[in-house]
Amino acid sequence: MLRYLWRSEIRESRLKSQRIRYVKQWVDTSTMPIVKSAESYAPSNIALCKYWGKRNRVLNLPLTDSLSVSLGTHGSHCRLTLADYEQDHVILDGKELPKESPFARRLTDYLDLFRPAGTYGLICEATNTVPTAAGLASSASGFASVIMALNQLLGWNLDDAQLSILARLGSGSASRSLWHGFVHWHAGSDPDGTDSFAVPVDCTWPEVRIGVVMLSTAKKPISSTDAMNLTTDTSHLYQSWPAQVAHDLGLMQQAICSRDFDLLGQTAEHNAMSMHATMISSKPSVLYWSPETVAAIHQIHRLRSEGVAVYLTIDAGPNIKLLYQKQDEQALLSTFSSMVPINPWLH
Ligand code: PMV
């Protein structure tokens, strides 16, 4: 056991030093803050064409492109204040977290990438406006808001692409959380990931809505990163995933340009189901769905057969996100009374 912990610490510290070297090509990490405090906001996002699989696990470089829609006012606010002491203090939704809590450690590790060891501490106040009951991942909006606040605090003046690259190191999907609306993360081909960043898609579609149907608050059996790596390493179905993403992405871009809602919904649902098929077929199998997830999928199929244009997507968990249009909201709320309706265009 001790040997295992020792090995995993060595692995962690190697990973951290590789990342520290990487960020030096983007920013001068010897810079001290130029202002006492900085604030920012980033929306959460839901992938319609999923990111599933890394070509570089240290730099979070994806094997494929992905496309998301941001969740408007549902996201993370971040305030970073220079502390009078060397240690960080992490305050999440008004409560100070113990230093050893996974969230505080992950955030401090991320901040460490951008400062010389032992120079200054930060008070990090993070507030999530993602309804906690909705079970939406806040890591994407969290890391995107942190990098935006750091950009101001340290006076870097980075452009959006550079911010997306640095947010990616916190969590892959954070690279897409710097914008509102539809966002396309280009996988890129450079081994160093200089061309792997997200860009906004120039289109608003005011009728499109996301509905979050919370089915379970239980802790995930396996993290998305571990599940992703297991899938790419062991699932025979994964071989066809990159080609499918390229195909789905083309259809989604076409659907967005021509405002073809059924094409967008069908493609997004098919893409999510295919992603889950790759993980279900990994060894050992990763199955995030609960019996309630399956029941909800059947209900969505039934609603569709009755003429409601509703589609679903599922991430690394049992909860379901619905893709629908404004006019169908009431019909959906009568079937899914706990659904949290989100207007992505309100921000
Ligand atoms: O960014 P991560 O490492 O939390 O992975 C996100 C994975 C999915 O949510 C399942 C897909 C996606 O593109 O957001």
Side-chain angles (χ1 to χ4, degrees), residues 188-206:
S189 55
D190 177 6
D192 228 13
T194 50
D195 52 358
S196 182
F197 53 84
V199 291
V201 175
D202 186 19
C203 165
T204 55
W205 193 342

Side-chain angles (χ1 to χ4, degrees), residues 47 50-52 54 139 171-173 176 224-225 228 275 315-316:
K50 306 291 185 190
Y51 147 56
W52 197 250
K54 302 178 201 258
S139 64
S171 133
S173 51
R176 298 185 307 240
S224 55
T225 291
M228 223 180 259
M275 174 185 76
D315 291 300

Side-chain angles (χ1 to χ4, degrees), residues 118-141:
T119 39
Y120 60 90
L122 290 168
I123 302 165
C124 318
E125 292 165 89
T127 315
N128 290 323
T129 53
V130 173
T132 34
L136 289 169
S138 53
S139 64
S141 52

Side-chain angles (χ1 to χ4, degrees), residues 138 157 184 222 321:
S138 53
N157 289 320
H184 180 171
I222 173 169
K321 286 103 189 187

Side-chain angles (χ1 to χ4, degrees), residues 159-233:
D159 62 30
D160 286 346
Q162 291 166 325
L163 289 173
S164 174
I165 286 173
L166 296 180
R168 190 190 75 217
L169 296 178
S171 133
S173 51
S175 66
R176 298 185 307 240
S177 262
L178 293 155
W179 300 270
H180 289 287
F182 294 111
V183 179
H184 180 171
W185 176 12
H186 293 270
S189 55
D190 177 6
D192 228 13
T194 50
D195 52 358
S196 182
F197 53 84
V199 291
V201 175
D202 186 19
C203 165
T204 55
W205 193 342
E207 291 78 26
V208 168
R209 296 286 185 274
I210 297 288
V212 181
V213 181
M214 184 67 179
L215 299 166
S216 164
T217 48
K219 195 179 173 303
K220 286 181 194 184
I222 173 169
S223 73
S224 55
T225 291
D226 289 345
M228 223 180 259
N229 294 342
L230 182 70
T231 308
T232 50
D233 290 348

